[in-house]
Amino acid sequence: MHLEHSILPLAAVLVSLLAAIPIILSDRRPNLREMWTLLAGVSMFLIVASMVPTVLAGNQPTITLFEVIPGVPIQLRVDSMGMLFALIASFLFILTSIYSIGYMRSLQEHDQTRYFASFAVAIGATVGVAFSANLLTLYLFYEMLSLSTYPLVAHERNAESRSSGRRYLSILLGTSVGFALPAMMMTYAFAGTLDFTVGGILGGAAPPAVLSLMLVMLVAGFAKCGVMPFHGWLPAAMVAPTPVSSFLHGVAVVKVGVFSVLRVLLDIFGIDVLGAITMGAALPYFVSFTIIAASIVALSQDNLKRRLAYSTVGQLSYIMLGVSLLSPAAVTGGIMHIASHAFAKVTLFYCAGAIYVASHKKYISQMKGLGRTMPFTFGAFGIAALSMIGAPPSAGFVSKWLMLNGALDADMIIIFGVLLSSTLLNAAYFVPIVYQGFFGKPNPEGDLVVASQIKEAPLTLLVPLMITSIISLLIGIYPYFFLQFAEAVLP
Amino acid sequence: MTQNLFIYAIMAPLLAALPVNLMARSYRPWAGTVAVGALIFSAVTSTVVLADVLKNGTIRYTLGNWPVPFGMELIVDPLGAMMLVVVSVCALFAISSAIRSASDEMPGQEHLFFTLALIMITGLMGLVVSADAFNIYVLLEITAITCYGLIAMGRGRAPLASFNYVIMGTIGACFYLLGIGYLYILTGSLNMPDIAGIIPGLDAPAAVATSFAFLMVGLWIKMGFFPLHGWLPNAYTYAPSATSVLMAPLMTKVSVFLMIRVMFFLYTPEYAFDHPDVQQLIIWAAALAIVVASSFALAQTEFKKMLAYVVVAEVGYMVGGVWLANSTGLTGAILHIVNDALMTLVMFLAASAVIYKVGASRFSDFAGLYRKMPITMAAFTLGAFALIGVPPTCGFFSKWYLILGGIEAGQFSYVAALVVSSLVNAVIFFRIIEIAFFQKPEGEDVLRRAEAPLPILAPLVVGAIALIVVGLFSGQIVGGLIAPALPWSF
C-alpha cells in the first residue's frame, strides 16, 4: 500500500459542495441551474472514476488539508472500500439528478433551488465520508450530511414534514453528539490517533469492557446505519420528495451510516480486537434482531415508501451483519451488499416516484392492476425486488451467497437461519406488490383509466429506473468489478 | 517604535472618545464614523503587535519610565496580544453595527453611546495587558461603570437591570479590591510579577488563601459564573442591541482571561490547585453551571435572553476547563475564550439585525425569516452550528479540548455536562430555525427580501465566515500561540 499525494479526492468533494453556489445564484433560470447540477454530477463521477486505476494498483490518493488537532488532520484518502462507495454514489447522483429534474418539474414543486442546492451539498458530504482518512474527518462530513438533508426532509413545509424533520434531526444529531462524539474522544484519548488503519488502532489500548462500551456507543452514534432502536428517523424521512428518498435515504445517507460503522469495525477496532471483546461477539445477534424485526414491520406497511424504508432498515443490517461475522467471505459479502442494495433500492424508490407522478398513488392497496398501465416501471420494480430477495441472477444473490458462506465459515448456524428466514420475509413483502400490479383487479371505484392503455411516467423518470434495474442484473451476472474492491478491503 | 505600538492601539479609542462626544453634538453621523475609524486603527495595530510579539517575544513596558515595582507595568505576552486582537476586532464589529442600531434604538443619544463604548473598549484592552494588580481593579471599574450607563440606555426594564448590575458588579469589585488589599499588606507590592516572586517566601498561609479566594470570587461575579450570574441575563437582554453586541462577547471573556492571569501569573498553578477538594468543588460548580444555565436557556422564548443563558453556560465551560488542572483543559479554555467571543458576537449581531428589521427578537418574530433575511439567517445558522459544536466551525475544536481534558482528568460529570449542553444547544437553536423555516409571519402573504443595512450585515457575514476559518486554523492557534504560552506542562 502506497500513499500518493493527489488533489483529486478534494476536487471530487469540492466540485459538488461548491456547485451549491452557482445553483443558488441561478435561482431565476431553471435550465442553467439544472445544468450546474448535471455538470457537478458528471465531473464528480469522472474525477472519482479517474482514480480507479490508481486504487486498483494498490495506491491511495491522499491529501491533508488542515492540521486541526495534533495527530488528527482533516485528511482525505481513497482506499478500495471508499472507492466502491464513492463510485456508486457519484454514478447514481447523475441518474438521480436527471430523475429529480423530471420529478420536480412534473409535479411543479416549489423551492426547487433550495432543493438542488441542498442535494449538491449532501452528495459532496457523502463522497467526503467515503474519502475520509480518519474518524474526525468522517464525523465532520457525517454532520454536514445530517444538516444538509434537513431542508430536503422538511421540503413540504407542512405540519407533517415539520414533525418528521424534528424527529429526523433529533435522532441523527442526538445520537452523533451524544454517543459518537464522546466515543471518538475516548478513542483519541486511548490511541492518540484517529487514523483509519487496517487492523485497527485500539489493540490493547483499553480494557475490554471499555472497548465494548465504545463499540456500542459508536454503532449507536452513527444512527444513519438504521440499527434498531435508532431507526425512527428513516421512516420519518419518507415525507421528502421521492428522489430524496430514493437516493439519499435509499443509498447515500443510510450507506454513510453503514460505511461509518464498517470503518469503525474494520479500521478503528480491527477484526482481531472485535473477536476478542464480548460486544464484538454479540454484534451479529444484535443486528440480526433488526433484520428480522424490520422485515416484519415492513409486511404491515401499506404506504409503499414506508415499506421500502423498513426494507432499507433491514437490508442495512445485512451489511453490518456480514462484516461483524468477521470471516473473510462474510466481510466481502457485506461490503458487496453496499453495491447490490444501492442499485436495487434506488430502483424501487425510482419506481415508487414514477408511480406517484404518473398516477398519484402512494398506497400499495391502490396499485392493483397498475402494472398493466405501467409495464416498464413494474418490470423494473420486479427485477429490483428479486435482487432484494437475493434470487439469482441478480446482484443481491452474490452478496447473500457470500454472507451465507461466511456464516457457515464462522460456525454461526443461527445467523445462517436468520439470513434464510429474512429472505422469505423479503419475498413476502415484495412479491405481492409485483403480482398484484400485473394480475390484480383494479379497484372498481374511481379509476377511469382503461387498463390496457399504457400510461408511463415521463422519460426523465423512466430511463434512470430502467438503467439501475439493468445494472442490478448485470452485477449479478458479472460481479467482479465491484468484488475486486470488496476483496481488497481485507489484507 | 514597535515596543510601544500597542499603547497606540489602546489609546486610540480613548482619544477618539472626546471628539466623538463634542463634535457629534452638532453633527451626529460623525460619531459612528470616528469611532469605527479609531477601532480600525486599534485592530490593525493590535494585529501588528501580535505578529511582533510572536516573533520577538514578550514586550514589557513601564508607563512614564517609573521603575518597577513603583511604576505601572504593562506586559504584552503572546496571550495578551491575542486578547488585544480579539477585543479590538470584536469591538470594531460591534461598533460598526451600532452605527445603525444605535440611531434606531437611541435616537439623539448616539454620541453618548459611542463615547461610553469607546472608553469601555479602552478599559478592556488595558485589562488584558496590565501587569499591575491595582490597575486591573481600576480598569475593571472603568469598564463596569461605562457598562452600567450603556445598559441603562435601553428601554423598558433596562434601568432596573442596570441597577442590579451596579450592585452585583460593585460587590464583585469590592471582593477583588479586598484581595488586592490583602496582597498589598502581605507583600508591599502591586506589580504582579513582583508579587508572584514574594508570595512563595511568605509565612502566612491563611492570609494568602484569603486573598486568593477574594480575587476569585470577585472575578467570578464579574464573569457571571453560576451561581453568581444573577445580574447577567437581564442586563444582556434589556440593554440596547448595540450594547449587548459589545458586552456579551467581551466582558465575560476578558474576566475569564483575568482569572487565568491571576491564577497562574500572580499565584502559581501548584498553589491554585493545591487543594483537590476545592478544585473538585469548582469543577462540580462548573458542571452545574453548564446544566442549569442550559436548562434555563431551554425555557426562554426571547432570543437575546436565551443567548444570555447560553453565555452563562459557556462561562461554565471555560472556568471548568481551567480548573481541570491539565494542559489540555487549559488549552481548551483559552481557545474557547477566542471562539466564544466570536460565536456570541455573531449571535448577538444576528439578534441586532432581526431587531432592526422586525422590531423585537421573540421566537415568534423569527417567522419567515429564511425568506426575508436569508443572509442574516445563514450567518445565524452557522453561529448555531458553532455553539452546538459542529465541525469544522471553531466551537467544535475548543469543545474537543475541553472534553478531552475532562476525560484526562477523570471529571466525567464535567464531560457529561458538556455533552448535554451541546444537545440542549441543538434543541434551542433548531427550535428557532424551525420557526424561521416553517412559519409565516401573521398578516404577511408575500415575503419580501429585507436585509438589515450594511453596517450590521457586513460584520455579521465576516464574523460568520471567521467561525469556520478560525475553526480550520485552530491547529495553528493552539500550536503557535496557546501551547507555548501555557504556564506549565505535564
Side-chain angles (χ1 to χ4, degrees):
Chain A
M1 197 192 329
H2 176 66
L3 299 182
E4 176 184 293
H5 178 78
S6 161
I7 192 95
L8 290 175
L10 179 66
V13 175
L14 280 189
V15 79
S16 181
L17 286 185
L18 296 183
I21 297 169
I23 289 174
I24 291 172
L25 291 180
S26 20
D27 183 23
R28 310 213 166 213
R29 299 173 64 190
N31 289 335
L32 182 67
R33 181 186 67 200
E34 264 73 300
M35 189 207 74
W36 292 120
T37 302
L38 288 174
L39 196 66
V42 172
S43 32
M44 185 164 78
F45 176 68
L46 290 179
I47 294 170
V48 172
S50 72
M51 287 185 281
V52 168
T54 322
V55 172
L56 283 181
N59 294 334
Q60 301 190 337
T62 307
I63 181 166
T64 307
L65 298 172
F66 299 94
E67 182 85 23
V68 281
I69 288 167
V72 189
I74 292 180
Q75 191 180 37
L76 299 175
R77 192 176 72 213
V78 188
D79 65 359
S80 57
M81 188 160 81
M83 178 49 92
L84 172 80
F85 183 32
L87 259 185
I88 297 169
S90 57
F91 176 71
L92 287 179
F93 178 41
I94 303 176
L95 292 182
T96 307
S97 301
I98 300 169
Y99 184 90
S100 285
I101 295 167
Y103 183 90
M104 300 301 275
R105 292 192 176 185
S106 303
L107 294 179
Q108 297 178 337
E109 283 277 354
H110 57 93
D111 293 313
Q112 294 192 21
T113 302
R114 187 182 71 217
Y115 172 90
F116 283 107
S118 308
F119 218 113
V121 174
I123 301 308
T126 304
V127 175
V129 168
F131 289 169
S132 293
N134 56 47
L135 200 54
L136 177 75
T137 316
L138 185 141
Y139 181 81
L140 184 158
F141 285 112
Y142 181 95
E143 295 290 39
M144 190 187 287
L145 184 60
S146 306
L147 296 168
S148 61
T149 44
Y150 173 75
L152 296 170
V153 173
H155 182 81
E156 280 308 320
R157 307 217 306 169
N158 55 23
E160 191 195 358
S161 72
R162 184 174 182 163
S163 67
S164 297
R166 195 180 290 172
R167 195 183 169 92
Y168 183 78
L169 262 193
S170 47
I171 294 180
L172 290 185
L173 270 188
T175 50
S176 66
V177 174
F179 298 133
L181 181 64
M184 175 164 75
M185 296 195 151
M186 286 162 79
T187 310
Y188 180 70
F190 287 128
T193 172
L194 290 175
D195 270 342
F196 294 136
T197 314
V198 177
I201 54 175
L202 279 172
V210 178
L211 286 179
S212 286
L213 175 71
M214 285 161 62
L215 180 63
V216 173
M217 285 171 78
L218 282 168
V219 172
F222 292 118
K224 288 196 177 105
C225 71
V227 71
M228 284 181 178
F230 300 109
H231 67 290
W233 63 274
L234 188 56
M238 291 300 133
V239 296
T242 305
V244 175
S245 313
S246 68
F247 182 47
L248 289 177
H249 300 124
V251 180
V253 173
V254 290
K255 294 290 184 321
V256 158
V258 170
F259 188 84
S260 309
V261 172
L262 296 197
R263 282 289 195 211
V264 167
L265 295 181
L266 293 172
D267 295 347
I268 294 290
F269 283 88
I271 286 191
D272 297 337
V273 177
L274 276 184
I277 60 178
T278 329
M279 268 325 284
L283 194 60
Y285 300 98
F286 187 64
V287 293
S288 293
F289 172 77
T290 305
I291 294 179
I292 299 293
S295 302
I296 292 171
V297 178
L299 271 176
S300 66
Q301 300 292 324
D302 190 30
N303 183 323
L304 179 56
K305 278 172 74 177
R306 285 183 72 90
R307 184 176 289 192
L308 293 179
Y310 277 104
S311 153
T312 306
V313 171
Q315 296 285 338
L316 294 173
S317 285
Y318 270 82
I319 302 173
M320 291 186 284
L321 175 64
V323 174
S324 63
L325 286 177
L326 306 181
S327 63
V331 173
T332 310
I335 295 168
M336 187 62 198
H337 202 61
I338 294 181
S340 320
H341 176 252
F343 286 101
K345 188 49 66 65
V346 88
T347 312
L348 293 172
F349 273 111
Y350 280 167
C351 293
I355 293 169
Y356 182 68
V357 168
S359 66
H360 287 277
K361 285 184 173 131
K362 281 186 186 172
Y363 295 96
I364 296 162
S365 52
Q366 301 169 329
M367 293 176 189
K368 287 176 189 158
L370 202 61
R372 273 169 282 177
T373 56
M374 302 181 73
F376 291 102
T377 307
F378 271 77
F381 192 97
I383 292 172
L386 282 184
S387 180
M388 289 279 81
I389 297 163
S394 64
F397 172 72
V398 178
S399 39
K400 207 166 259 186
W401 174 261
L402 284 166
M403 278 191 267
L404 285 170
N405 275 330
L408 288 180
D409 288 348
D411 284 333
M412 292 201 186
I413 206 71
I414 298 179
I415 302 296
F416 190 80
V418 166
L419 285 167
L420 286 183
S421 52
S422 107
T423 303
L424 289 177
L425 284 168
N426 288 348
Y429 63 77
F430 275 129
V431 172
I433 304 175
V434 185
Y435 178 82
Q436 292 288 349
F438 280 116
F439 305 112
K441 226 181 194 174
N443 294 338
E445 79 278 2
D447 283 332
L448 294 175
V449 183
V450 183
S452 62
Q453 197 179 337
I454 289 189
K455 184 175 173 292
E456 283 281 4
L459 275 182
T460 41
L461 275 66
L462 204 55
V463 170
L465 70 87
M466 299 297 289
I467 294 177
T468 49
S469 67
I470 291 168
I471 292 175
S472 281
L473 275 184
L474 287 182
I475 295 177
I477 296 163
Y478 183 82
Y480 304 103
F481 178 70
F482 288 113
L483 261 182
Q484 60 190 345
F485 292 109
E487 279 169 348
V489 169
L490 284 185
Chain B
M1 172 59 201
T2 51
Q3 277 292 302
N4 53 13
L5 192 61
F6 75 97
I7 298 284
Y8 294 100
I10 298 172
M11 292 307 285
L14 186 64
L15 293 178
L18 189 65
V20 161
N21 194 356
L22 294 180
M23 287 185 343
R25 277 173 198 278
S26 45
Y27 188 59
R28 277 209 190 87
W30 272 99
T33 321
V34 174
V36 167
L39 286 170
I40 290 178
F41 174 80
S42 283
V44 172
T45 321
S46 305
T47 316
V48 175
V49 170
L50 176 62
D52 180 47
V53 168
L54 284 180
K55 204 166 134 224
N56 300 327
T58 302
I59 300 171
R60 300 186 70 146
Y61 185 88
T62 43
L63 285 172
N65 269 336
W66 289 88
V68 171
F70 307 106
M72 298 178 215
E73 193 184 22
L74 301 176
I75 296 183
V76 192
D77 57 0
L79 286 186
M82 178 189 83
M83 287 304 291
L84 271 186
V85 174
V86 170
V87 171
S88 56
V89 170
C90 286
L92 170 63
F93 285 12
I95 292 297
S96 157
S97 81
I99 292 178
R100 292 304 287 270
S101 67
S103 59
D104 183 46
E105 292 174 38
M106 305 169 262
Q109 293 182 310
E110 297 99 310
H111 58 291
L112 301 176
F113 171 83
F114 284 113
T115 308
L116 283 178
L118 285 170
I119 298 174
M120 178 198 156
I121 294 162
T122 307
L124 288 172
M125 292 176 78
L127 276 174
V128 298
V129 295
S130 180
D132 184 294
F134 186 74
N135 265 11
I136 291 183
Y137 166 74
V138 175
L139 291 163
L140 266 179
E141 280 307 89
I142 289 178
T143 52
I145 291 169
T146 45
C147 270
Y148 304 148
L150 288 170
I151 294 168
M153 289 171 91
R155 282 172 285 198
R157 290 173 61 186
L160 185 66
S162 174
F163 184 66
N164 247 327
Y165 184 23
V166 170
I167 294 178
M168 289 291 282
T170 311
I171 294 174
C174 287
F175 270 110
Y176 184 85
L177 187 61
L178 279 172
I180 297 295
Y182 271 83
L183 280 182
Y184 185 63
I185 295 168
L186 287 168
T187 64
S189 172
L190 289 171
N191 183 284
M192 287 168 72
D194 197 33
I195 299 176
I198 299 174
I199 288 179
L202 290 173
D203 186 27
V208 175
T210 311
S211 70
F212 183 74
F214 278 5
L215 288 174
M216 283 298 120
V217 172
L219 289 170
W220 286 339
I221 294 179
K222 288 282 180 190
M223 72 178 75
F225 179 50
F226 178 88
L228 306 171
H229 68 289
W231 60 272
L232 192 146
N234 279 350
Y236 283 11
T237 309
Y238 298 110
S241 322
T243 304
S244 26
V245 174
L246 183 62
M247 273 180 72
L250 296 179
M251 283 296 282
T252 53
K253 261 53 82 182
V254 168
S255 309
V256 174
F257 179 75
L258 287 178
M259 181 184 82
I260 295 174
R261 266 281 153 87
V262 167
M263 284 171 67
F264 302 139
F265 295 95
L266 195 53
Y267 300 85
T268 55
E270 292 75 28
Y271 182 83
F273 302 132
D274 194 28
H275 297 283
D277 294 345
V278 175
Q279 185 204 347
Q280 182 65 61
L281 204 65
I282 293 170
I283 289 177
W284 278 338
L288 201 63
I290 297 170
V291 173
V292 173
S294 294
S295 17
F296 271 107
L298 204 53
Q300 302 306 315
T301 54
E302 208 273 338
F303 181 52
K304 266 171 85 177
K305 194 154 199 177
M306 185 191 93
L307 282 182
Y309 280 107
V310 171
V311 170
V312 175
E314 304 273 330
V315 170
Y317 284 31
M318 291 178 275
V319 175
V322 173
W323 282 85
L324 286 174
N326 57 36
S327 51
T328 318
L330 186 58
T331 305
I334 297 175
L335 186 61
H336 202 66
I337 291 179
V338 181
N339 294 346
D340 193 42
L342 209 52
M343 296 188 287
T344 20
L345 177 78
V346 169
M347 287 320 245
F348 274 94
L349 277 171
S352 183
V354 171
I355 290 174
Y356 187 87
K357 289 314 280 191
V358 188
S361 63
R362 294 172 308 241
F363 288 178
S364 54
D365 295 312
F366 279 76
L369 281 194
Y370 270 105
R371 303 216 163 198
K372 280 165 74 179
M373 308 172 74
I375 300 176
T376 306
M377 287 311 288
F380 166 87
T381 313
L382 268 181
F385 290 172
L387 280 167
I388 297 168
V390 178
T393 56
C394 59
F396 174 80
F397 296 101
S398 41
K399 209 170 270 181
W400 171 279
Y401 283 105
L402 290 173
I403 295 183
L404 204 60
I407 293 176
E408 277 175 23
Q411 296 290 356
F412 290 101
S413 61
Y414 176 70
V415 173
L418 283 175
V419 173
V420 166
S421 147
S422 304
L423 290 172
V424 169
N425 282 0
V427 172
I428 57 183
F429 287 114
F430 269 98
R431 213 159 52 175
I432 300 179
I433 288 174
E434 219 184 77
I435 291 171
F437 188 81
F438 283 99
Q439 281 181 8
K440 282 201 174 130
E442 281 171 32
E444 286 179 60
D445 287 336
V446 188
L447 297 178
R448 288 175 182 285
R449 287 261 318 251
E451 290 282 0
L454 198 63
I456 301 180
L457 202 59
L460 179 61
V461 171
V462 176
I465 294 171
L467 289 175
I468 292 182
V469 175
V470 169
L472 290 176
F473 287 95
S474 35
Q476 275 79 354
I477 297 175
V478 170
L481 207 55
I482 299 178
L486 291 185
W488 81 101
S489 48
F490 287 100

